[in-house]
Amino acid sequence: MSEHHDKPTGIKRWLFTTNHKDIGTLYLWFAFTMFLIGGAMAMVIRAELLKPGMQVVDPLFFNTMTTMHGLIMVFGAVMPAMVGFANWLVPMMIGAPDMALPRMNNWSFWILPFAATMLVSTLFMEGGGPAFGWTFYAPLSTTFAPKSTDFFIFAVHLLGFSSIMGAINIIATILNMRAPGMTLMKMPLFVWTWLITAFLLIAVMPVLAGAVTMMLTDRNFGTSFFNAAGGGDPVLFQHVFWFFGHPEVYIMILPAFGIVSQIIPTFARKQLFGYASMVYATAAIAFLSFIVWAHHMFTVGMPVAGELYFTYATVMIAVPTAVKVFNWTATMWKGSMTFETPMLWAVAFVFLFTIGGFTGLMLGVAPADFQYHDTYFVVAHFHYVLVTGAVFAIIAGVYYWLPKWTGHMYDEKLGKLHFWLSAISVNVLFFPQHFLGLAGMPRRIPDYAIQFSEFNFMSSIGGFAFGLSQLLFLYIVIKCIRGGEKATAQVWDNPEGLEWTIPSPAPYHTFETAPEVK
Amino acid sequence: MSTQAGSYYLPTPSHWPIIGSVGLFTTLFGFASALPGTPDGPVGNLGVMYVGLAIIAFMLFGWFGQVIGESESGKYNAQVDTSFRMGMVWFIFSEVMFFAAFFGALFYARQLSVPWLGGAGNNAMTNSLLWKGYAGTWPTNGPGAVGGKFEHMAAFGIPLWNTIILLTSGLTVTWAHWGLKKENRGQLIMGLFLTVALGGLFVSLQAYEYMHAYHEMGLKLTSGIYGTTFFMLTGFHGLHVTIGAIMLLVMLIRSTKGHFTAKNHFAFEAAAWYWHFVDVVWLGLFIFVYWLV
Amino acid sequence: MPASKITKKLGSLLCMALVLIPGAVFADYKLNMPQSVTAVGKDIYSLHMLVFWICVVVGIGVFGVIIYSLINHRKSKGVTPATFHESATVEFIWTIIPFIILVAIAVPATKTLLKIEDTSNPDLTIKVTGWQWKWEYEYLDNGVRFFSNLDQASNDARQRNSGKDPHSVDHYLLNVNNPVVVPVNKKVRILTTSNDVIHAWWVPDLAIKRDAIPGYINESWFKAEKTGVYRGQCAELCGKDHGFMPIVVQVVAENEYNDWVAKQKSAAAAAAAGAGKTWSKEDLMKRGQEVYNASCAACHQANGQGIPGVFPAIAGSKIATGPVDGHINIVVKGKQGTAMQAFGAQLSAADIAAVVTFERNAFGNNTGDVVQPSQISR
Ligand code: HEA
Ligand code: HEA
Ligand code: CUA
Ligand SMILES: [Cu+2]
């Protein structure tokens, strides 16, 4: 077994690597880069919306920014970041020597930069990049879209291909590579959430591939999927898209649940409350996510029975999610808490995600959604669950495991500063958007009526502050990689999990002989 | 489920994946550049795409070659084998979901959008104001009669023969598997040969059927939603039959070279599973695309 | 700042937010959903407030417990952690309670939804068609038909760096040239469809939002109980100028409505009569420029350069400098499957003649051609 001990250096190490830690690192840096790019686009959006009137960009380019911002944040930032965590942590948490299929693991990652290049290249083509929203509804994205759309379609194919292979690898690893004694119900919750997420990915990414394939043939070969004259229906696109799209949002949040479920017990110094019910709740959320998709489409004119059904099914998701929130609460209850940076982010997650969940529940009620739909109320909802949900969990996780990854402690003072700056500015950024939406401001517009001025101004200022705060994060991470106080193997006060039994930084190869789990 | 300590084969760094990425990127970039972007425009120069496909082929040869080499030299233990199996099963599941999207489109058109255009449900006004006189019955090329007059495909001609052919090929591949398990190499090779031949026959008949549709029946990809769903579903299926046949062909060649043992033949089984999957999809097609018109 | 102080601050901040938000909701109409001038809209509003208050109460409960815990169950207070980590009873209870709450929400939601979807027995039916980027209204009962565009003042001010202050424009971006007029206290059925991409017809005060889908018709309705002017916007991304296709509905007394219908009919007759007249080139160019700026510049741009890859230039265009018939044809009939619409249905013969003349003599297209309204056939 000597051959895999050689560790090539330089660029080749990263290009050819089959090591789960290297690949995890690649994913995380890729995600962070995309977060900055997608965030910069959000800054363009917020700059244009700072004041009424058109000042910064043209309407078409504004739509391009909205679209690319959504696509890049979802497919480029959050999803790859979560896969990065899975790569780093799943093998270490279950006592495996590496991922089950290491070469394929490399491929899953190395498709991403190519897909991103293809996607971003559309910005420089004639007619501009995609400007039809990240949901790319037909026929705006088929008959009425520029040539660059074909490149966009293939970029989505590549992203899907990468995600499917990544998910297959994670499932095979979790099901096949556990150390002796690591039964399923002993796995850390993060591993459980990823197992279920991977299943969601394999089930829905091919459907997205189907949707863009139908777009491709409608655009280029005269098929009639989304054309009423030929017997098709533009709304068919929305059904196919949201059959993917709704599970997709849980793909982004379930691993976040996993991360938070690791962090809170550590800093509450108390075992996670209701482990089994957490597992079942995760599975229930995943199951429900397949049968609620049309709550994004209440205004398309579905038969009333459909609207009723999708309302009932949608609000049901609050039940298993409630179980999660209550379990986190009960874990903190009568704990012995301290508030290091990861815990601050995790606690903020619980508060702010729940607020986003509440607005989700409001959206799920069809008659009311007729009023909310396609307004900034929806934008506020999904940024609470995505930014203060998924992204906050990612940041919490980075602080939590950074000492394990780098061998150094991050700068606690700066970490806390980063937290407070972010937590305050993000609410200034997104809270007013609830009011904007309720008062009638549609989303995806580059300019607005005067009555929306104050809140937009506030939101933009919050946006700039939140964006700048993330540069501090970059600085903290780099500083931590460069040096700092040496981290112990345990790092925290008695945390649970196999990853804390190995030295910090985690050696290049871990668990080549499987640990015994009691 | 337990790890036999230290024995899980971990490959060395590999350059194949990045070559694969370059190949995919080149293929798709080339294809996108050549596409017209409108239904009536001509497809441009596909040269770049072919270069990309060549790179992918090179990668497949190299990568699988390496894996076969490692397998034949006994580096893979049972646990590695299980990983491969899980990989293949979940890959096939992803393919099932890909087809599900297209079957979903077919059901949606047949059960919902076409009847709605004909005035069903809450769509009386759709029919009377926009598409007056359209009956909304299947098969159809829509109220706009997109693509002109056409005849629909009958189930009990070539399609029935093709069903028989594919089902038989499912038997022959199983027979080959029995041969392999008995270490009867003759039966293995014969079974695989028959399977590949039946696959080839299937694809040829399908090609003939397509030509017939285009030249004599007026049935085209552009024949409204019927033509769309017919050609997209059978076309993607045909593509999968072709891929499956190529996989089986590789297994055939490997069998003649003496690869596989009664115990160790994951690649063969993977190809066989894939073949069965293609078979099952066909049954769905036969029922919902051809038969229940 | 020590951690304890920080969390205390966070706690009080959140408490404050929780107290302030519901209060603020009532402070000003702009913070909350409008209460609507229809009965169904009022139902929707109370449903909205019901779910909102449920969330507030559940939120205060959950957040209250967490905050209490954050303050009291911390290491710096010397607490030793408890060891419990499950309880079937508690878990059962907190699974069942949300479920019951949800059922309580579902009941009024169902009732309201059934009312919304009951479009039977209307007093008046209007077909609303979305076009990139304007609305067409067709009164099926009396044949009144017109297009409704963003008003000129807003359109001028919204151009990038126009130098015009949006604050100086009346109802900036929420005003149109031709509002929809309907009688008060009548059930108005709205049939939405589209000529190109998906749009959505939304007027918050009437509590109606419905997608306009090409090739399909969606039905919805409202019955305004108060006269007044109600404004809304397109609510589905429909391309470049999605933000600039507002809706204005004027609800008036029945007799006013009847007067309006009569006036619309005589105006349409007058426009048709003008088609025979012969125009001078100057008049055509002047009128043509107005029409161009109002109807064509959104795509082909005020300078006639278009947007490469999306909308072709008129300057130097083969069609605009080629045979006159081809040019008239594309303007009148549009081009199927592209954003270029059939303007024959939207503009009078005189306007089309004017805009074609203009395009053939502006932007350096010096063909010298003059097109008269009599040459326009549809
Ligand atoms: C991480 C991503 C994420 C998550 C987790 C969610 C979670 C939920 N979402 Fe959200 N959603 C998005 C991302 C997400 N969403 C995005 C991106 C869009 C917009 C897409 C687009 O159009 O661009 C969207 C849009 C969206 C819509 C469409 C709105 C519209 O366009 O008109 C709806 C409608 O039903 C909805 C509902 C819900 C619901 C019911 C949940 C539930 O899962 C929430 C459940 C959680 C709770 C309810 C809180 C916890 C519970 C308790 C503390 C106790 C129980 C409480 C009670 C009983 C009151 N979402
Ligand atoms: C996980 C996903 C995710 C994340 C993290 C974010 C993060 C942010 N999003 Fe959004 N967003 C979406 C997913 C996400 N978003 C989606 C799916 C849509 C819908 C798209 C559609 O309608 O199709 C959307 C739409 C959307 C809109 C509505 C646009 C419209 O309807 O027209 C707005 C407007 O305010 C917005 C703002 C922001 C802001 C300010 C951030 C901030 O959190 C970003 C902060 C990060 C940075 C700023 C980067 C770091 C800093 C720098 C690079 C330095 C430069 C900084 C300065 C100059 C200050 N997003
Ligand atoms: Cu029309 Cu948006
Ligand atoms: Cu959803």
Side-chain angles (χ1 to χ4, degrees):
Chain A
M1 282 285 94
S2 69
E3 54 192 333
H4 62 267
H5 278 268
D6 53 354
K7 174 166 144 188
T9 47
I11 181 80
K12 280 191 178 169
R13 164 173 172 196
W14 300 105
L15 282 179
F16 300 159
T17 182
T18 47
N19 179 286
H20 72 102
K21 301 187 183 78
D22 280 352
I23 294 174
T25 305
L26 284 170
Y27 265 111
L28 288 167
W29 276 113
F30 174 80
F32 198 71
T33 312
M34 295 310 270
F35 178 68
L36 293 185
I37 298 176
M41 290 172 171
M43 294 300 106
V44 175
I45 297 175
R46 284 316 329 166
E48 180 57 63
L49 294 177
L50 183 68
K51 289 194 302 183
M54 300 294 299
Q55 297 92 13
V56 184
V57 293
D58 286 322
L60 189 65
F61 190 70
F62 180 91
N63 290 351
T64 310
M65 285 295 105
T66 296
T67 306
M68 290 293 255
H69 161 69
L71 288 168
I72 287 179
M73 285 302 198
V74 169
F75 293 104
V78 173
M79 289 171 70
M82 294 302 185
V83 183
F85 275 101
N87 260 290
W88 253 104
L89 298 171
V90 166
M92 294 199 315
M93 286 178 162
I94 62 174
D98 204 302
M99 297 288 279
L101 304 160
R103 273 185 293 240
M104 192 169 90
N105 199 18
N106 173 302
W107 204 20
S108 303
F109 172 76
W110 275 109
I111 286 175
L112 285 181
F114 290 89
T117 307
M118 180 109 81
L119 184 61
V120 173
S121 74
T122 58
L123 287 176
F124 307 100
M125 293 179 188
E126 202 183 54
F132 29 64
W134 85 281
T135 52
F136 47 102
Y137 283 5
L140 186 60
S141 63
T142 55
T143 320
F144 295 86
K147 174 76 194 100
S148 66
T149 308
D150 294 323
F151 293 86
F152 154 82
I153 289 173
F154 287 134
V156 174
H157 275 119
L158 284 176
L159 291 166
F161 194 50
S162 155
S163 290
I164 292 169
M165 287 197 301
I168 289 176
N169 220 330
I170 289 169
I171 293 192
T173 306
I174 296 175
L175 293 184
N176 192 36
M177 305 284 285
R178 275 171 289 128
M182 177 61 80
T183 59
L184 286 175
M185 289 310 271
K186 271 192 198 150
M187 296 194 309
L189 216 77
F190 177 75
V191 180
W192 256 114
T193 53
W194 245 115
L195 178 63
I196 291 168
T197 303
F199 169 73
L200 287 180
L201 276 169
I202 301 179
V204 301
M205 291 313 284
V207 176
L208 175 67
V212 290
T213 306
M214 292 177 204
M215 265 173 74
L216 186 79
T217 58
D218 264 20
R219 282 173 56 79
N220 291 290
F221 304 113
T223 55
S224 296
F225 285 112
F226 312 131
N227 175 10
D233 186 350
V235 174
L236 167 62
F237 175 85
Q238 299 181 26
H239 283 289
V240 183
F241 179 85
W242 287 116
F243 186 84
F244 147 80
H246 186 79
E248 166 69 16
V249 306
Y250 294 99
I251 286 167
M252 291 188 276
I253 207 67
L254 292 184
F257 290 168
I259 292 172
V260 170
S261 304
Q262 301 300 127
I263 293 175
I264 290 182
T266 298
F267 296 99
R269 291 171 182 72
K270 188 160 155 280
Q271 206 180 327
L272 182 70
F273 186 88
Y275 171 90
S277 64
M278 283 301 227
V279 172
Y280 301 138
T282 311
I285 293 173
F287 169 74
L288 288 170
S289 77
F290 283 109
I291 56 169
V292 301
W293 74 88
H295 63 218
H296 296 270
M297 305 163 52
F298 282 136
T299 62
V300 299
M302 273 184 285
V304 64
E307 288 171 343
L308 285 173
Y309 160 75
F310 281 109
T311 291
Y312 301 154
T314 298
V315 296
M316 285 305 296
I317 299 188
V319 175
T321 317
V323 169
K324 303 222 131 209
V325 172
F326 296 153
N327 281 351
W328 292 320
T329 307
T331 306
M332 289 187 262
W333 186 255
K334 293 202 185 250
S336 170
M337 279 188 273
T338 51
F339 299 95
E340 285 85 345
T341 308
M343 183 63 165
L344 289 176
W345 290 94
V347 172
F349 170 96
V350 177
F351 278 104
L352 299 174
F353 167 80
T354 303
I355 291 180
F358 285 153
T359 53
L361 188 69
M362 295 172 75
L363 291 167
V365 181
D369 182 69
F370 287 144
Q371 289 287 35
Y372 310 133
H373 177 66
D374 258 320
T375 67
Y376 262 79
F377 192 77
V378 178
V379 176
H381 157 64
F382 67 71
H383 282 96
Y384 267 86
V385 281
L386 279 171
V387 179
T388 60
V391 173
F392 268 38
I394 289 168
I395 297 176
V398 169
Y399 280 114
Y400 186 55
W401 283 292
L402 206 52
K404 179 58 61 187
W405 296 339
T406 63
H408 306 127
M409 296 306 288
Y410 58 85
D411 186 326
E412 188 69 54
K413 265 215 187 84
L414 285 182
K416 287 201 166 116
L417 178 67
H418 175 215
F419 170 76
W420 286 107
L421 285 175
S422 302
I424 293 168
S425 60
V426 83
N427 283 294
V428 178
L429 164 58
F430 292 121
F431 209 85
Q433 295 186 355
H434 292 111
F435 303 134
L436 283 173
L438 292 174
M441 177 167 162
R443 58 192 282 208
R444 295 166 168 168
I445 58 172
D447 195 6
Y448 47 82
I450 304 299
Q451 74 222 44
F452 306 126
S453 305
E454 287 82 9
F455 285 129
N456 268 302
F457 185 77
M458 220 197 241
S459 176
S460 289
I461 298 299
F464 301 145
F466 183 71
L468 288 176
S469 312
Q470 304 323 307
L471 296 181
L472 182 58
F473 184 41
L474 180 65
Y475 172 75
I476 296 170
V477 171
I478 291 176
K479 187 171 165 212
C480 178
I481 294 170
R482 290 274 185 83
E485 190 194 325
K486 281 256 161 291
T488 59
Q490 274 216 334
V491 184
W492 313 110
D493 229 7
N494 204 17
E496 231 182 295
L498 287 176
E499 77 266 34
W500 308 110
T501 62
I502 51 183
S504 305
Y508 199 59
H509 295 283
T510 37
F511 299 126
E512 294 189 286
T513 41
E516 198 69 42
V517 181
K518 297 165 291 297
Chain B
M1 202 103 324
S2 67
T3 314
Q4 295 142 4
S7 56
Y8 195 88
Y9 176 72
L10 294 177
T12 49
S14 167
H15 54 272
W16 294 117
I18 191 88
I19 294 178
S21 296
V22 172
L24 277 177
F25 182 81
T26 314
T27 306
L28 295 178
F29 206 90
F31 191 32
S33 309
L35 284 171
T38 61
D40 30 30
V43 176
N45 186 338
L46 289 170
V48 177
M49 183 182 92
Y50 291 127
V51 173
L53 287 174
I55 299 174
I56 294 178
F58 171 65
M59 177 276 290
L60 288 174
F61 268 102
W63 191 335
F64 282 117
Q66 190 178 352
V67 171
I68 291 167
E70 285 163 4
S71 171
E72 290 299 311
S73 59
K75 286 186 173 142
Y76 296 162
N77 63 6
Q79 199 188 2
V80 176
D81 198 61
T82 308
S83 290
F84 286 159
R85 278 163 202 276
M86 287 181 174
M88 191 66 193
V89 167
W90 288 101
F91 168 66
I92 290 177
F93 176 63
S94 79
E95 291 269 43
V96 169
M97 292 309 292
F98 182 73
F99 274 97
F102 288 90
F103 272 106
L106 174 71
F107 297 146
Y108 183 90
R110 294 188 60 162
Q111 298 302 317
L112 300 172
S113 70
V114 167
W116 285 344
L117 290 165
N122 56 359
N123 275 273
M125 297 312 278
T126 300
N127 184 259
S128 65
L129 287 181
L130 301 178
W131 310 110
K132 207 161 184 58
Y134 177 65
T137 48
W138 192 263
T140 179
N141 55 356
V146 171
K149 264 182 119 61
F150 73 97
E151 273 175 65
H152 72 83
M153 202 49 88
F156 294 100
I158 291 178
L160 183 61
W161 279 112
N162 262 346
T163 309
I164 296 168
I165 289 170
L166 266 198
L167 288 179
T168 315
S169 76
L171 295 180
T172 53
V173 79
T174 306
W175 187 64
H177 195 192
W178 290 343
L180 178 51
K181 283 204 270 200
K182 287 185 299 198
E183 295 281 11
N184 181 343
R185 198 146 288 266
Q187 182 178 335
L188 167 66
I189 291 174
M190 192 60 202
L192 273 174
F193 174 78
L194 284 175
T195 313
V196 174
L198 287 168
L201 183 61
F202 174 93
V203 175
S204 315
L205 284 175
Q206 181 107 33
Y208 170 79
E209 189 189 52
Y210 275 18
M211 303 236 278
H212 181 64
Y214 261 79
H215 296 303
E216 276 120 61
M217 302 167 68
L219 176 58
K220 302 190 172 74
L221 183 60
T222 49
S223 299
I225 194 67
Y226 179 80
T228 297
T229 47
F230 174 80
F231 282 106
M232 292 298 284
L233 273 161
T234 56
F236 269 116
H237 176 260
L239 187 71
H240 283 76
V241 174
T242 312
I243 294 170
I246 293 173
M247 280 163 53
L248 288 169
L249 185 66
V250 173
M251 298 310 138
L252 177 58
I253 295 169
R254 286 184 63 187
S255 306
T256 59
K257 287 195 177 157
H259 290 189
F260 306 130
T261 63
K263 273 208 191 119
N264 188 359
H265 52 259
F266 158 72
F268 173 89
E269 277 184 82
W273 291 340
Y274 197 78
W275 196 250
H276 289 308
F277 148 70
V278 167
D279 220 358
V280 172
V281 172
W282 174 260
L283 288 180
L285 284 179
F286 182 70
I287 295 171
F288 294 111
V289 175
Y290 292 95
W291 194 3
L292 300 179
V293 190
Chain C
M1 244 194 297
S4 64
K5 232 163 117 196
I6 293 171
T7 14
K8 210 170 268 169
K9 280 231 164 105
L10 172 70
S12 45
L13 212 82
L14 277 159
C15 286
M16 248 161 62
L18 275 169
V19 177
L20 279 178
I21 295 154
V25 165
F26 295 116
D28 184 356
Y29 137 82
K30 273 192 230 160
L31 289 176
N32 201 358
M33 189 187 276
Q35 300 224 18
S36 179
V37 292
T38 70
V40 168
K42 294 198 170 85
D43 286 355
I44 292 180
Y45 178 82
S46 31
L47 191 58
H48 156 68
M49 289 316 283
L50 170 73
V51 185
F52 171 74
W53 282 116
I54 289 177
C55 289
V56 169
V57 170
V58 175
I60 289 176
V62 178
F63 295 163
V65 173
I66 299 181
I67 290 168
Y68 180 87
S69 183
L70 291 180
I71 294 169
N72 295 301
H73 304 151
R74 49 171 69 214
K75 196 176 173 197
S76 55
K77 295 234 160 140
V79 219
T80 41
T83 52
F84 66 87
H85 59 84
E86 59 190 354
S87 157
T89 334
V90 173
E91 290 177 61
F92 178 76
I93 292 173
W94 73 38
T95 311
I96 211 73
I97 288 180
F99 182 80
I100 294 169
I101 296 177
L102 295 174
V103 174
I105 295 173
V107 173
T110 306
K111 283 194 193 137
T112 308
L113 194 62
L114 292 176
K115 273 194 223 163
I116 292 175
E117 297 296 345
D118 177 11
T119 55
S120 58
N121 304 319
D123 300 309
L124 177 70
T125 301
I126 306 177
K127 180 175 166 222
V128 180
T129 309
W131 298 66
Q132 281 181 327
W133 292 281
K134 63 202 129 202
W135 294 98
E136 178 194 1
Y137 297 97
E138 191 177 350
Y139 288 60
L140 295 186
D141 307 274
N142 53 32
V144 170
R145 198 184 74 95
F146 58 90
F147 278 81
S148 180
N149 278 284
L150 178 66
D151 76 312
Q152 200 58 47
S154 293
N155 201 25
D156 290 342
R158 68 111 172 161
Q159 301 303 324
R160 184 161 159 202
N161 299 326
S162 64
K164 297 197 174 85
D165 182 3
H167 294 267
S168 68
V169 178
D170 241 14
H171 298 291
Y172 177 61
L173 297 187
L174 292 179
N175 216 357
V176 296
N177 56 357
N178 300 313
V180 194
V181 179
V182 297
V184 72
N185 279 323
K186 294 277 179 203
K187 183 166 183 177
V188 180
R189 183 168 61 147
I190 298 290
L191 305 179
T192 41
T193 184
S194 165
N195 178 64
D196 34 55
V197 300
I198 302 178
H199 306 260
W201 199 79
W202 179 35
V203 183
D205 287 304
L206 302 177
I208 176 171
K209 181 187 287 145
R210 200 48 61 109
D211 287 5
I213 294 164
Y216 290 82
I217 281 184
N218 276 330
E219 303 190 17
S220 50
W221 67 279
F222 67 87
K223 186 176 189 174
E225 290 166 349
K226 239 169 75 188
T227 58
V229 179
Y230 305 110
R231 296 168 197 279
Q233 282 178 271
C234 176
E236 180 62 61
L237 178 60
C238 53
K240 179 168 80 69
D241 285 352
H242 159 62
F244 307 103
M245 49 184 294
I247 295 152
V248 179
V249 179
Q250 238 173 309
V251 178
V252 298
E254 176 138 29
N255 55 340
E256 269 179 73
Y257 168 74
N258 291 335
D259 292 350
W260 176 81
V261 171
K263 231 169 76 196
Q264 292 292 311
K265 284 189 174 160
S266 54
K277 180 181 150 207
T278 306
W279 293 54
S280 74
K281 186 171 175 192
E282 285 73 59
D283 287 350
L284 283 170
M285 286 298 282
K286 191 162 156 282
R287 177 88 195 108
Q289 175 145 31
E290 285 164 21
V291 175
Y292 183 86
N293 285 336
S295 299
C296 320
C299 297
H300 299 292
Q301 305 296 299
N303 59 7
Q305 294 300 325
I307 300 177
V310 191
F311 306 116
I314 298 297
S317 141
K318 278 213 187 78
I319 293 181
T321 55
V324 177
D325 284 349
H327 192 172
I328 295 176
N329 189 54
I330 195 168
V331 178
V332 171
K333 302 225 172 88
K335 185 152 179 214
Q336 264 294 302
T338 74
M340 183 60 201
Q341 340 173 327
F343 283 92
Q346 309 183 26
L347 301 174
S348 69
D351 284 348
I352 292 175
V355 78
V356 172
T357 306
F358 173 74
E359 285 187 343
R360 298 183 75 77
N361 295 288
F363 320 126
N365 295 350
N366 299 318
T367 60
D369 298 333
V370 175
V371 180
Q372 290 297 342
S374 55
Q375 283 169 268
I376 311 296
S377 57
R378 310 179 188 201

